[in-house]
């Protein structure tokens, strides 16, 4: 069983991680999606890396 303090610590870490991923996505990926050349390919690769933890879960809706 996980205690309330450990659960709260994990939740804070999860939120901080999500905020970092969102900032990365908004600042470095979204502006380059669909771009030609290396910038577009890198943006697509970064997006796939950010999505990977969610795509790997079968219960998460994805294509």
């Amino acid at each position: 069983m996980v205690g309330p303090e450990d659960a709260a610590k994990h939740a804070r870490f999860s939120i901080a991680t999500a905020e970092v991923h969102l900032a990365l996505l908004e600042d470095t990926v979204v502006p380059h999606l669909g771009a030609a050349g290396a910038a577009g390919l890198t943006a697509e690769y970064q997006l796939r890396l950010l999505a990977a933890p969610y795509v790997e879960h079968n219960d998460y809706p994805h294509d």
Side-chain angles (χ1 to χ4, degrees):
M1 178 168 207
V2 177
E5 290 179 14
D6 288 335
K9 185 177 179 181
H10 179 73
R12 285 190 299 274
F13 178 78
S14 294
I15 291 169
T17 301
E19 289 172 343
V20 168
H21 287 172
L22 182 59
L24 177 66
L25 180 69
E26 290 177 342
D27 295 346
T28 65
V29 178
V30 172
H32 302 287
L33 286 174
L41 291 175
T42 300
E44 183 178 341
Y45 184 66
Q46 287 175 316
L47 184 60
R48 291 180 186 275
L49 288 173
L50 287 169
Y54 306 101
V55 173
E56 295 300 319
H57 295 287
N58 292 333
D59 57 341
Y60 185 83
H62 64 279
D63 294 330

